[in-house]
Amino acid sequence: MPEGDWRSILSSGAAALGIALESGHLAAFEAYRREILEWNQRINLTAITGDEEIAVKHFVDSIACLKAAEIPPRARLVDVGSGAGFPGIPLAILRPDLDLWLLDATRKKVEFLRHVTAALGIAAHTVWARAEDAGQRKDLRERFDVATARAVAPLGILAEYCLPLCRVGGRVLAMKGRYASAEVGAAMRAVRLLGGRVESVYEYELPFGAGTRAIPVIVKDKPTPRAYPRNAGTPAKKPL
Ligand code: SAM
């Protein structure tokens, strides 16, 4: 697909969500797409490789976080299970003021995240760790204004990964598919136990008929009890 066509898909897709992209953003997304496709030949970054699909299902979807909740200027944001960088890197392309931290348990993905943020000139911290271990680390626990995650775990488990990392008053943006409301119901108890409360659910349609999505927003009202997160693997094996 000619670059101009791809850029117009991306900018009209973002505009459908009420987000205006400038030419500098489009150039950064284009460079990011090239790096993903190149590295995807060597390591398994994504099954989505079509031009329109990358634009819509990865890039537009990621920036929908900006509509789900107000992210304060210079917020410290951790993207948990970032993989190829979603939603963290698209958010940083639009919001270079963010103090971005990209966390993933897979070493090769963290290598890619290090490479691509340097290539794009994004000042991000990368952390190779499981979220359960990160949540008990003194330098990371309760240090973030916002935690994002997409396609990492069901909401109750995700709450145990993300809420310990947020400061009181911080928020978790949990990117989900169309069945988010059922997940919210099932996760209510875990969210409360971890010091959180579901504040809102932002529902949206991806452009070009790519599907319905939702972002439950969890606000942290109280400190997370010290026992959480439990040891690596336990949240998924024994959900709260
Ligand atoms: N967020 C990206 C996206 O939406 O394309 C990647 C999603 S991928 C399906 C899930 C990612 O979460 C993988 O990169 C995996 O290594 C990471 N992951 C899963 N469990 C994790 C955990 N407990 N701690 C840190 N990373 C985890």
Side-chain angles (χ1 to χ4, degrees):
M1 181 184 285
E3 199 175 294
D5 293 355
W6 186 78
R7 287 186 178 203
S8 84
I9 287 176
L10 180 57
S11 59
S12 62
L17 287 183
I19 296 171
L21 297 183
E22 293 163 10
S23 62
H25 299 139
L26 293 167
F29 279 117
E30 179 64 39
Y32 184 22
R33 180 181 72 139
R34 270 200 306 273
E35 295 289 347
I36 291 170
L37 292 177
E38 196 187 314
W39 276 61
N40 211 34
Q41 294 172 4
R42 280 177 284 135
I43 68 168
N44 182 19
L45 283 177
T46 175
I48 291 175
T49 55
D51 290 332
E52 181 174 318
E53 273 196 316
I54 291 190
V56 173
K57 293 190 179 171
H58 280 329
F59 296 165
V60 175
D61 190 34
S62 292
I63 61 180
C65 282
L66 297 173
K67 307 299 284 187
E70 190 71 42
I71 300 181
R74 294 178 300 283
R76 203 168 193 221
L77 183 149
V78 61
D79 188 24
V80 173
S82 190
F86 304 121
I89 292 178
L91 292 175
I93 290 174
L94 264 78
R95 289 281 308 271
D97 61 294
L98 295 175
D99 179 9
L100 178 68
W101 293 62
L102 302 168
L103 181 147
D104 203 281
T106 306
R107 188 173 53 86
K108 283 192 184 317
K109 293 195 173 158
V110 175
E111 273 168 23
F112 171 73
L113 293 169
R114 259 180 217 145
H115 164 80
V116 77
T117 49
L120 296 177
I122 292 171
H125 304 263
T126 51
V127 184
W128 174 32
R130 291 193 61 130
E132 302 93 310
D133 297 326
Q136 291 292 1
R137 262 171 60 174
K138 224 173 153 199
D139 57 329
L140 299 173
R141 184 180 175 87
E142 307 215 315
R143 295 291 175 124
F144 293 91
D145 303 299
V146 181
T148 55
R150 189 184 78 157
V152 176
L155 192 59
I157 298 167
L158 202 59
E160 191 168 353
Y161 292 168
C162 293
L163 275 167
L165 294 165
C166 289
R167 65 172 174 81
V168 173
R171 284 177 173 75
V172 178
L173 310 184
M175 304 189 71
K176 293 288 169 187
R178 64 165 70 235
Y179 302 110
S181 55
E183 276 200 51
V184 167
M188 222 47 135
R189 206 182 82 84
V191 167
R192 236 178 271 128
L193 192 61
L194 294 158
R197 164 175 57 87
V198 177
E199 181 181 52
S200 57
V201 179
Y202 172 66
E203 290 181 0
Y204 58 106
E205 291 293 329
L206 284 177
F208 311 115
T212 304
R213 301 282 189 275
I215 306 180
V217 178
I218 300 170
V219 62
K220 179 153 158 175
D221 288 327
K222 285 183 266 171
T224 301
R226 278 247 58 108
Y228 305 110
R230 292 165 291 166
N231 290 340
T234 306
K237 259 183 246 137
K238 295 184 185 166
L240 293 171

